[in-house]
């Protein structure tokens, strides 16, 4: 039976990011940070899920589970390991990944930058360097000239607003903020310009590709007296990015929870609330709240990340069901949502937290790289099948 709440062509899938699953991303800045003597990382990424080698089996497995889409990222540090030097072999690898998606019937949603940079970029000062938009666009041109026709959806920069979010949660500036930049107004402007330059590069090399930006969006809920601060937090994570996105083909939403906001900023989760392994409140309703808030943007909305870090997989099933109930209600109200891509396909490298938080639908034995499908994977895969008639 086809679940008619979801439109034909709705993309059902999972998301990953190169550094978190591929393994041995040795030319990236993060690899260097992980191995620095004073590293803030709980452990290094190492072999990760060995997805660089096992991508074909992984893509086949995701298709067998019932999914029809797969979001992954192309790693800048592999494609351009030195300034201006492009690796033909790395481009060939990603061509093979895209071919595997086509072979097994998964629509690829490709992220061109997911937090990691080549080391030479961090030597230039990273995303605070005003020359970065041009350099990023050169990398995007190289990728899209080679692979563009096989990429229907390209996300330029993952969570272009991550530095703002990290500042809001009070992360130390020498800690995870290293992902993009300090979040200063000038540095954020570099990121916005990089998105605009990358969008132009995508369109020039591959006019058939739809291009957009992803933002991390929290469902800010004002507590008494918190209205002004909540509005400000929303402005700096969402509205400030609108001008740069004005000409995008779609808008990509990434959400994990809600945040209660008092007059001075974030408040702790309510007394007795269930917390995820990340310490966020278990609150899947946040996704629909955020979709409704961004709907006036008037573009197709892709949900490119939503998920939960939980040891008890039954909680993941519950999370997904409640998040999807929200997506269904948004669709019923006429909001143009085009995808639900769960974060993440695998238990993977959760940045500074290492391998402890488990977001995956699929467990990975980190010694043998054996994949073990969790019940939540079968559950979400079955929903995908019921909706897409696969
Ligand atoms: C990021 C992912 C990350 C996930 C879970 C998102 O902010 O795009 O790379 O693993 O959240 O924390």
């Amino acid at each position: 039976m086809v679940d008619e709440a979801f439109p034909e062509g709705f993309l059902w899938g999972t998301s990953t990011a190169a550094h978190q699953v591929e393994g041995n991303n040795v030319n990236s800045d993060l690899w260097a940070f992980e191995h620095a003597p004073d590293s803030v990382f709980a452990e290094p990424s190492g072999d990760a899920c060995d997805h660089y080698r096992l991508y074909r089996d992984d893509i086949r497995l995701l298709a067998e589970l019932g999914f029809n889409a797969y979001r992954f990222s192309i790693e800048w540090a592999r494609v351009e390991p030195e300034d201006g030097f492009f690796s033909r072999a790395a481009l060939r690898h990603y061509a093979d990944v895209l071919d595997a998606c086509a072979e097994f019937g998964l629509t690829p949603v490709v992220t061109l930058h997911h937090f990691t940079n080549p080391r030479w970029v961090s030597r230039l000062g990273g995303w605070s360097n005003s020359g970065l938009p041009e350099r990023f666009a050169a990398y995007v041109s190289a990728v899209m000239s080679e692979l563009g026709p096989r990429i229907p959806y390209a996300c330029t920069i993952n969570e272009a607003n991550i530095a703002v979010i990290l500042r809001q949660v009070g992360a130390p500036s020498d800690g995870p903020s290293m992902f993009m930049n300090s979040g200063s107004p000038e540095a954020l402007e570099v990121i916005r310009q990089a998105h605009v330059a990358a969008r132009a590069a995508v369109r020039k090399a591959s006019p058939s590709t739809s291009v957009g930006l992803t933002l991390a969006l929290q469902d800010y809920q004002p507590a008494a007296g918190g209205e002004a601060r909540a509005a400000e937090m929303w402005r700096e994570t969402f509205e400030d990015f609108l001008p740069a996105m004005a000409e995008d083909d779609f808008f990509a939403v990434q959400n994990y929870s809600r945040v209660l906001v008092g007059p001075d900023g974030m408040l702790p989760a309510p007394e007795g609330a269930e917390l995820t392994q990340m310490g966020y409140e278990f609150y899947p309703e946040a996704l629909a709240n955020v979709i409704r808030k961004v709907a006036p943007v008037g573009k197709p909305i892709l949900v490119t990340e939503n998920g939960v870090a939980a040891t008890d997989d039954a909680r993941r099933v519950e999370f997904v069901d409640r998040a999807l109930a929200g997506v269904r209600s948004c669709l019923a109200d006429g909001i143009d949502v085009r995808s639900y891509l769960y974060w993440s396909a695998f238990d993977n490298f959760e940045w500074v937290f290492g391998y402890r938080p488990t977001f995956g639908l699929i467990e990975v034995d980190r010694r043998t790289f054996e994949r073990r499908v969790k019940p939540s994977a079968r559950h979400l895969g079955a929903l995908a099948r019921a909706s897409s008639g696969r």
Side-chain angles (χ1 to χ4, degrees), residues 13-295:
T14 59
S15 282
T16 61
H19 190 79
Q20 296 178 269
V21 292
E22 287 182 346
N24 300 297
N25 188 16
V26 297
N27 288 317
S28 68
D29 55 354
L30 267 262
W31 183 274
F33 293 141
E34 287 160 30
H35 290 275
D38 55 349
S39 174
V40 295
F41 285 76
E43 56 189 315
S45 53
D47 289 324
C49 304
D50 202 11
H51 182 65
Y52 199 79
R53 187 174 63 92
L54 298 173
Y55 70 90
R56 198 165 183 282
D57 294 344
D58 288 340
I59 286 169
R60 181 176 37 217
L61 175 59
L62 292 168
E64 280 167 7
L65 285 166
F67 298 112
N68 65 7
Y70 178 46
R71 173 174 177 248
F72 64 93
S73 74
I74 291 183
E75 179 56 51
W76 188 4
R78 291 190 195 273
V79 171
E80 192 181 2
E82 294 299 338
D83 191 359
F85 171 83
F86 292 92
S87 162
R88 300 284 322 148
L91 286 168
R92 183 66 237 174
H93 168 79
Y94 291 111
D96 291 345
V97 175
L98 289 161
D99 285 349
C101 288
E103 180 183 347
F104 295 109
L106 298 188
T107 298
V109 178
V110 171
T111 311
L112 293 160
H113 185 279
H114 197 124
F115 293 165
T116 41
N117 302 305
R119 288 191 197 198
W120 61 265
V121 166
S122 64
R123 284 197 292 271
L124 293 175
W127 289 81
S128 303
N129 181 319
S130 60
L132 246 268
E134 201 184 320
R135 289 185 145 94
F136 181 56
Y139 148 73
V140 169
S141 283
V143 170
M144 296 309 290
S145 318
E146 193 74 20
L147 309 176
R150 304 176 217 219
I151 302 179
Y153 299 95
C155 304
T156 55
I157 297 173
N158 181 66
E159 299 187 343
N161 60 351
I162 186 68
V164 181
I165 300 265
L166 291 169
R167 179 159 39 76
Q168 288 179 355
V169 302
S173 57
D174 61 344
S177 326
M178 65 182 59
F179 284 136
M180 290 304 280
N181 60 35
S182 59
S184 70
E186 299 75 27
L188 288 169
E189 191 47 33
V190 172
I191 293 183
R192 284 190 281 261
Q193 284 171 11
H195 166 66
V196 171
R199 181 180 64 211
V202 169
R203 291 209 170 124
K204 185 156 180 235
S206 179
S208 62
T209 302
S210 294
V211 55
L213 180 74
T214 94
L215 292 179
L217 294 172
Q218 313 257 39
D219 174 18
Y220 299 112
Q221 297 189 6
E227 291 77 7
R229 182 67 189 123
E232 188 188 352
M233 290 167 90
W234 180 251
R235 179 187 52 70
E236 59 186 14
T237 50
F238 176 62
E239 289 161 13
D240 284 357
F241 289 83
L242 285 173
M245 297 172 357
E247 288 168 37
D248 290 6
D249 298 310
F250 62 84
F251 174 57
V253 168
Q254 310 198 157
N255 167 266
Y256 289 86
S257 189
R258 72 168 168 178
V259 168
L260 300 181
V261 181
D264 300 320
M266 277 182 63
L267 298 173
E271 194 65 36
E274 176 180 353
L275 301 183
T276 74
Q277 283 177 302
M278 299 294 284
Y280 314 142
E281 184 180 356
F282 182 100
Y283 192 82
E285 287 68 27
L287 177 63
N289 292 344
V290 161
I291 293 174
R292 286 176 193 284
K293 279 181 85 170
V294 304

Side-chain angles (χ1 to χ4, degrees), residues 7-18:
E8 211 187 314
F10 191 84
L11 300 177
W12 290 90
T14 59
S15 282
T16 61

